[in-house]
Amino acid sequence: MASSRSVYAPTDGYTYPLSLTLYPRPRAASPTPPTHVTPNQTPWPPHPSPPHPPNPSKSKSTSTSTSTFFTSPTHIYTTALLLRLTLLLYGIYQDTTSALKYTDIDYLVFTDASHYTRQGLSPYARDTYRYTPLLAWLLLPTSLTIPSSPLLTTLLFSSGKILFLLSDLLAGWLITKSLVQAYGMDAPRARKYAAGWLLNPMVANISTRGSSEGVLCVLVVGMVWAALGRRVWLAGAVLGVSVHLKIYPFVYGVAIVWWLGGSGSRTPILSFITKDRIILTLSSLFTFAALNALMYALYSTPFLQHTFLHHLTRIDHRHNFSPYSTLLYLSAAGDSSASSSSSSSFAFESLAFIPQLLLSVVVLPLALAKKSLPGAMLAQTFAFVAFNKVVTSQYFLWYLIFLPFYLPLPTCSLRQKPKTTGAAVAVLWVLGQALWLHQAYNLEFLGLSTFVPGLFLSSLGFFAVNVWILGVVVGDLVALPSSSSSW
């Protein structure tokens, strides 16, 4: 992999694997010596000036630029674990003392489904369980109770959250491993970028509240690690499992297939069909089909309906950042104006898939995958989430997992211009959510009708921010040199 980046190697004998901006500037050509030297002129060449003594403080700061915190994996992983355990314990306290619960309602759905599964029933006996039975199986310990020990019962109930937070740590470890493997980073620098995931309070909060996205993120970053390391069959198998858990990772299949490259044949069709692409396709389809066949044999039609088909017609208007949320609310409530034009309303909702899939499945992977595979996957995910008709906070983790792969790129404007572009992206993204959450709080907790214009306009504002950020990411990826496909 390193040889494909030889264009970045300077001529001073040292390889700088990350950024062109790290390379020393070439020495200026020596000026032409004067043809005539008068007695008053300094002879050529001039007497060399004594070298400046090294600045101990500057050299020390340079040699430890990544900070001693990242030199040992123990520091960062212990800190990440303590952050999550602190939030986990606080969540248990808040759940027992406050009417406003810390635990996400989805976690209660997961654990109820596991309870039904332990009793030999279908997990779909729990209303609103819209996931693969694998998730209910993973959380079976949460259904156990020990009457003689309330503390152990609480720990068992929280075992699912512990699984999710450990998945966060595993994902961070895989990010570090991938950066070292594919980007040629040293381990401390790779951990510094992985800290954007491991020490991110939003990621820790979502996992400790009981969201299962951490498990999926492990699979996604594992797929990236396998693909960048040319472990094609493993990447395909992980892709199949990921799509079984959630539908959206199927978009990554297009990016990986295109990134794998052609055979060089003069015939376009024969050039496209390569051994790696065949292996990826067959391994992903086999894994996906095998899991689905097993679950269908156990749970029949309810498995297909709740795991896959439901998401094609779902109408979630609560906690939905999408600009479609108001329309979905009117459809769910059976508003008279919506009822009078139900066919056009349904058609409008269905059109949401067109720009979403056009961008995330066709345009972005074909345009960007050969520039940077993780970068293309970031753009795909960002577009998929931004244009989805249902957007919740958990979905943000889907693209946050790719930030450690995007930030080291030599054209990343968030890192190159931290005080302008970087600050604007961070501030506007957070501010867009804050404005929406303010309207949602007035609606759900104070009982004020804020659908129009407050909630609708804040949803449009957040959508506009996301589209602008997507443009920044795509622009950075397009600016990558054509020889940077190993990024």
Side-chain angles (χ1 to χ4, degrees), residues 295-309:
M295 297 305 161
Y296 183 79
L298 294 175
Y299 300 108
S300 189
T301 304
F303 158 69
L304 294 178
Q305 175 61 39
H306 295 288
T307 304
F308 298 111
L309 301 180

Side-chain angles (χ1 to χ4, degrees), residues 81 102 106 115 119 175 202 210 217 290 306 313 331 340 344 356 362 389 393 411 427-428 481:
L81 178 61
Y102 182 85
D106 286 345
H115 182 74
Q119 293 179 330
I175 290 172
M202 183 177 187
C217 288
H306 295 288
T313 58
S331 300
S340 62
S344 62
Q356 179 189 36
V362 181
K389 64 181 180 179
S393 297
T411 57
V427 170
L428 290 177

Side-chain angles (χ1 to χ4, degrees), residues 18-38:
L18 287 179
S19 172
L20 293 174
T21 61
L22 297 178
Y23 299 161
R25 296 182 179 180
R27 295 180 179 178
S30 300
T32 305
T35 57
H36 176 71
V37 179
T38 65

Side-chain angles (χ1 to χ4, degrees), residues 56-94:
S57 60
K58 184 176 180 180
S59 61
K60 182 178 180 180
S61 63
T62 302
S63 63
T64 60
S65 59
T66 56
S67 171
T68 56
F69 179 79
F70 299 104
T71 56
S72 171
T74 304
H75 297 156
I76 184 170
Y77 292 112
T78 300
T79 303
L81 178 61
L82 290 176
L83 170 64
R84 286 159 174 79
L85 290 179
T86 301
L87 291 175
L88 178 67
L89 295 176
Y90 171 78
I92 295 175
Y93 169 79
Q94 181 174 328

Side-chain angles (χ1 to χ4, degrees), residues 205-216:
N205 171 260
I206 290 177
S207 293
T208 54
R209 291 186 64 215
S211 172
S212 63
E213 307 306 322
V215 175
L216 184 64

Side-chain angles (χ1 to χ4, degrees), residues 47 54 63 71 128 139 241 251 266 282 299 304 316 345 360 454 469:
H47 184 73
S63 63
T71 56
T128 72
L139 302 186
V241 177
V251 303
R266 295 182 179 180
L282 293 181
Y299 300 108
L304 294 178
D316 292 359
S345 175
S360 60
I469 295 175

Side-chain angles (χ1 to χ4, degrees), residues 80-127:
L81 178 61
L82 290 176
L83 170 64
R84 286 159 174 79
L85 290 179
T86 301
L87 291 175
L88 178 67
L89 295 176
Y90 171 78
I92 295 175
Y93 169 79
Q94 181 174 328
D95 286 343
T96 56
T97 60
S98 174
L100 180 62
K101 304 303 181 183
Y102 182 85
T103 299
D104 195 300
I105 186 64
D106 286 345
Y107 188 72
L108 302 181
V109 175
F110 302 157
T111 55
D112 287 348
S114 296
H115 182 74
Y116 284 117
T117 302
R118 190 170 69 89
Q119 293 179 330
L121 302 175
S122 169
Y124 302 108
R126 187 4 170 134
D127 292 337

